[in-house]
Coordinates of all heavy atoms in Angstrom, one line a residue:
I1 N 58.9 112.3 58.3 CA 59.8 112.0 57.2 C 60.6 113.4 57.0 O 61.8 113.4 56.8 CB 59.1 111.6 55.9 CG1 58.6 110.0 56.2 CG2 60.2 111.6 54.8 CD1 57.6 109.6 55.0
G2 N 59.7 114.5 57.0 CA 60.4 115.8 56.6 C 61.5 116.1 57.8 O 62.5 116.7 57.4
I3 N 61.1 115.7 59.0 CA 62.0 115.9 60.1 C 63.4 115.1 60.0 O 64.5 115.6 60.2 CB 61.5 115.8 61.5 CG1 60.3 116.8 61.7 CG2 62.4 115.7 62.7 CD1 59.5 116.4 62.9
D4 N 63.3 113.8 59.6 CA 64.4 113.0 59.4 C 65.2 113.6 58.2 O 66.5 113.7 58.3 CB 63.9 111.6 59.0 CG 63.3 110.8 60.1 OD1 63.5 111.3 61.3 OD2 62.7 110.0 59.9
R5 N 64.6 114.1 57.2 CA 65.4 114.7 56.1 C 66.1 116.1 56.6 O 67.1 116.4 56.1 CB 64.4 115.0 55.0 CG 63.9 113.8 54.2 CD 63.1 114.0 53.0 NE 62.8 112.8 52.3 CZ 61.9 112.7 51.3 NH1 61.5 113.7 50.7 NH2 61.6 111.4 50.8
A6 N 65.4 116.7 57.4 CA 66.0 118.0 58.0 C 67.3 117.6 58.7 O 68.3 118.3 58.7 CB 65.0 118.7 58.8
E7 N 67.2 116.6 59.5 CA 68.3 116.2 60.2 C 69.5 115.8 59.3 O 70.7 116.0 59.6 CB 68.0 115.1 61.2 CG 67.1 115.4 62.4 CD 67.8 116.2 63.5 OE1 68.9 116.6 63.3 OE2 67.0 116.5 64.4
A8 N 69.2 115.1 58.3 CA 70.2 114.6 57.3 C 70.8 115.9 56.6 O 72.0 115.9 56.4 CB 69.6 113.7 56.3
A9 N 70.0 116.7 56.4 CA 70.6 118.1 55.7 C 71.4 118.8 56.7 O 72.4 119.3 56.2 CB 69.3 119.0 55.3
R10 N 71.1 118.8 57.9 CA 72.0 119.4 58.9 C 73.4 118.7 58.9 O 74.4 119.3 59.0 CB 71.4 119.4 60.3 CG 70.3 120.3 60.5 CD 69.7 120.3 61.9 NE 70.7 120.8 62.9 CZ 70.5 120.5 64.2 NH1 69.4 120.0 64.7 NH2 71.4 121.0 65.1
T11 N 73.3 117.4 58.9 CA 74.6 116.7 59.0 C 75.5 116.9 57.7 O 76.7 117.1 57.7 CB 74.3 115.2 58.9 OG1 73.6 114.9 60.2 CG2 75.6 114.4 59.0
A12 N 74.8 117.1 56.5 CA 75.6 117.2 55.2 C 75.9 118.8 54.9 O 76.6 119.0 54.0 CB 74.7 116.8 54.1
A13 N 75.5 119.7 55.8 CA 75.6 121.1 55.6 C 77.1 121.6 55.7 O 77.8 120.9 56.6 CB 74.7 122.0 56.4
D14 N 77.4 122.6 55.1 CA 78.6 123.3 55.3 C 78.7 124.2 56.5 O 79.6 124.5 57.2 CB 79.3 124.1 54.0 CG 79.6 123.2 52.9 OD1 80.3 122.2 53.1 OD2 79.0 123.4 51.9
L15 N 77.4 124.7 56.7 CA 77.1 125.7 57.8 C 75.5 125.5 58.2 O 74.7 125.5 57.3 CB 77.3 127.2 57.4 CG 77.0 128.2 58.5 CD1 77.8 128.1 59.7 CD2 77.2 129.6 57.7
V16 N 75.3 125.6 59.4 CA 73.9 125.6 59.9 C 73.4 126.9 60.6 O 74.2 127.3 61.5 CB 73.5 124.4 60.8 CG1 72.0 124.4 61.3 CG2 73.8 123.0 60.1
L17 N 72.4 127.5 60.1 CA 71.8 128.7 61.0 C 70.9 128.2 61.8 O 69.8 127.7 61.5 CB 71.2 129.7 59.9 CG 72.2 130.2 58.8 CD1 71.5 131.3 57.9 CD2 73.5 130.8 59.4
W18 N 71.0 128.3 63.1 CA 70.1 127.7 64.1 C 69.2 128.9 64.6 O 69.6 129.9 65.2 CB 70.7 127.1 65.3 CG 70.0 126.7 66.4 CD1 69.9 127.1 67.6 CD2 69.2 125.5 66.3 NE1 68.8 126.4 68.3 CE2 68.4 125.3 67.5 CE3 68.8 124.6 65.3 CZ2 67.5 124.3 67.9 CZ3 67.9 123.4 65.6 CH2 67.3 123.5 66.8
L19 N 67.9 128.7 64.4 CA 66.8 129.6 64.7 C 66.1 129.2 66.0 O 65.1 129.8 66.3 CB 65.9 129.9 63.5 CG 66.4 130.9 62.5 CD1 67.6 130.3 61.7 CD2 65.3 131.1 61.5
G20 N 66.5 128.2 66.5 CA 65.6 127.7 67.8 C 66.3 128.0 69.1 O 67.0 129.0 69.1
P21 N 65.9 127.4 70.2 CA 66.2 127.8 71.4 C 67.8 127.9 71.6 O 68.5 127.0 71.1 CB 65.7 126.8 72.4 CG 64.5 126.3 71.6 CD 64.8 126.3 70.2
E22 N 68.3 129.0 72.3 CA 69.7 129.2 72.4 C 70.3 128.0 73.0 O 69.9 127.4 74.1 CB 69.9 130.3 73.2 CG 71.5 130.8 73.2 CD 71.5 132.4 73.6 OE1 70.6 132.9 74.2 OE2 72.6 133.0 73.3
G23 N 71.5 127.5 72.5 CA 72.3 126.5 73.0 C 71.9 125.0 72.6 O 72.7 124.1 72.8
E24 N 70.9 125.0 71.8 CA 70.5 123.7 71.2 C 70.9 123.4 69.9 O 70.6 122.2 69.3 CB 68.8 123.5 71.3 CG 68.5 123.6 72.8 CD 66.9 123.4 72.9 OE1 66.3 122.9 71.9 OE2 66.3 123.6 73.9
G25 N 71.5 124.3 69.3 CA 72.0 124.1 67.9 C 73.4 123.6 67.7 O 73.9 123.4 66.5
G26 N 74.0 123.1 68.7 CA 75.4 122.6 68.5 C 76.4 123.6 68.1 O 76.5 124.7 68.7
E27 N 77.1 123.2 67.0 CA 78.1 124.0 66.3 C 77.5 125.0 65.4 O 78.3 125.7 64.7 CB 79.2 123.2 65.8 CG 80.0 122.2 66.7 CD 80.8 123.0 67.7 OE1 81.3 124.0 67.3 OE2 80.7 122.6 68.9
S28 N 76.3 125.1 65.3 CA 75.6 126.1 64.4 C 75.9 127.5 64.8 O 76.3 127.8 65.9 CB 74.1 125.7 64.4 OG 73.9 124.4 64.1
W29 N 75.5 128.4 63.9 CA 75.5 129.8 64.1 C 74.2 130.1 64.8 O 73.1 129.7 64.4 CB 75.6 130.6 62.9 CG 76.9 130.8 62.2 CD1 78.1 130.1 62.6 CD2 77.3 131.7 61.2 NE1 79.0 130.5 61.9 CE2 78.6 131.5 61.0 CE3 76.5 132.6 60.4 CZ2 79.3 132.2 60.0 CZ3 77.3 133.4 59.4 CH2 78.6 133.2 59.2
E30 N 74.2 130.8 66.0 CA 73.1 131.1 66.8 C 72.4 132.4 66.1 O 73.1 133.5 65.9 CB 73.3 131.5 68.1 CG 73.7 130.3 69.0 CD 72.4 129.5 69.4 OE1 71.3 129.9 69.0 OE2 72.6 128.5 70.1
I31 N 71.2 132.3 65.5 CA 70.5 133.4 65.0 C 69.3 133.8 65.8 O 68.5 132.9 66.1 CB 70.0 133.0 63.5 CG1 71.2 132.5 62.7 CG2 69.4 134.3 62.8 CD1 72.3 133.6 62.3
D32 N 69.2 135.0 66.1 CA 68.0 135.5 66.8 C 67.0 136.1 65.8 O 67.2 137.2 65.2 CB 68.4 136.6 67.8 CG 67.3 137.0 68.7 OD1 66.1 136.6 68.6 OD2 67.5 137.8 69.7
P33 N 66.1 135.3 65.3 CA 65.2 135.7 64.2 C 64.1 136.6 64.7 O 63.8 136.8 66.0 CB 64.7 134.4 63.7 CG 64.6 133.6 64.8 CD 65.8 133.9 65.8
Q34 N 63.3 137.1 63.9 CA 62.0 137.8 64.2 C 62.2 138.9 65.2 O 61.4 139.1 66.2 CB 61.0 136.9 64.6 CG 60.8 135.8 63.6 CD 59.8 134.7 64.1 OE1 59.8 134.4 65.4 NE2 58.9 134.1 63.2
C35 N 63.3 139.6 65.1 CA 63.5 140.8 66.1 C 62.5 141.9 66.1 O 62.5 142.7 66.9 CB 64.9 141.3 65.9 SG 65.3 142.3 64.5
D36 N 61.7 141.8 65.0 CA 60.6 142.9 64.9 C 59.3 142.5 65.9 O 58.5 143.4 66.0 CB 60.2 142.9 63.5 CG 59.6 141.6 62.9 OD1 60.5 140.6 62.8 OD2 58.5 141.3 62.8
R37 N 59.3 141.3 66.4 CA 58.3 140.8 67.3 C 58.7 141.2 68.8 O 59.6 140.7 69.3 CB 58.1 139.4 67.1 CG 57.6 138.9 65.7 CD 57.4 137.3 65.6 NE 56.5 137.0 66.8 CZ 56.2 135.7 66.9 NH1 56.5 134.7 66.0 NH2 55.3 135.3 67.9
P38 N 57.8 142.0 69.4 CA 58.1 142.5 70.8 C 58.0 141.3 71.8 O 58.5 141.5 72.8 CB 57.2 143.6 71.0 CG 56.1 143.3 70.0 CD 56.7 142.8 68.8

């Protein structure tokens, strides 16, 4: 249910910050998080 709501939130957003694998976020902003982790 939480995942379904997350998808709905992405659809309604003005902007999505994508923290997942590169290229899978569609028109989202690609964010490279956790750069402190080697």
Side-chain angles (χ1 to χ4, degrees):
I1 293 172
I3 292 173
D4 291 342
R5 291 182 178 179
E7 293 287 7
R10 288 180 65 186
T11 302
D14 297 306
L15 175 66
V16 177
L17 304 184
W18 178 250
L19 279 67
E22 193 165 15
E24 296 183 11
E27 298 299 318
S28 309
W29 282 9
E30 289 282 1
I31 305 298
D32 189 353
Q34 302 174 328
C35 69
D36 56 291
R37 293 179 56 177

